[in-house]
Amino acid sequence: MQEMTSLLGEPLPVEFPIDGDWRPAVLLGWRHEPDGTCWVRVQAVVGGLRRASWVHLADLRLPQPDRATPAPEPRTRPDLQLPGPGRSRRALTPLPPLPVPRSLQPDTSWA
């Protein structure tokens, strides 16, 4: 079996056909076969259950504009982290100094 290459970021939205209908899915990774074909690992919800499967690259398409998946919600709320007009940034607490590495400490073994 060939090694799978994974995406480094969020899974890529794609669509693949099931029972004659294009279903939304996400691309998790891909692999190249010795015969030159490319297979992709997709994950989709089928029958209410999350399923992952290998699909031939030719059987995928990018989501159509009318069925595009909504943009994911941000993982953080920037409005709560960045000061806005009239709000001041909280004063940062200084960190304690780092210890001196042993390689830079004076050698006192002879004393």
Side-chain angles (χ1 to χ4, degrees):
M1 176 179 268
Q2 299 295 325
E3 186 175 319
M4 181 175 96
T5 303
S6 299
L7 298 174
L8 291 177
E10 295 292 321
L12 179 68
V14 294
E15 292 180 343
F16 71 106
I18 295 180
D19 301 328
D21 188 28
W22 289 94
R23 303 281 180 97
V26 291
L27 177 82
L28 301 175
W30 64 91
R31 71 175 188 233
H32 294 277
E33 295 294 325
D35 65 359
T37 59
C38 181
W39 290 82
V40 292
R41 184 86 168 157
V42 296
Q43 184 179 63
V45 176
V46 179
L49 299 174
R50 189 177 304 197
R51 306 283 182 166
S53 181
W54 288 102
V55 179
H56 195 273
L57 177 63
D59 293 333
L60 285 186
R61 72 178 188 187
L62 292 176
Q64 300 301 302
D66 60 330
R67 294 192 60 182
T69 56
E73 291 292 320
R75 292 184 179 191
T76 60
R77 301 237 356 239
D79 57 322
L80 296 179
Q81 294 181 359
L82 299 176
R87 284 191 263 165
S88 63
R89 186 179 290 249
R90 184 178 65 140
L92 296 176
T93 305
L95 295 174
L98 293 173
V100 177
R102 286 185 184 163
S103 61
L104 299 177
Q105 292 177 358
D107 184 13
T108 58
S109 61
W110 54 270

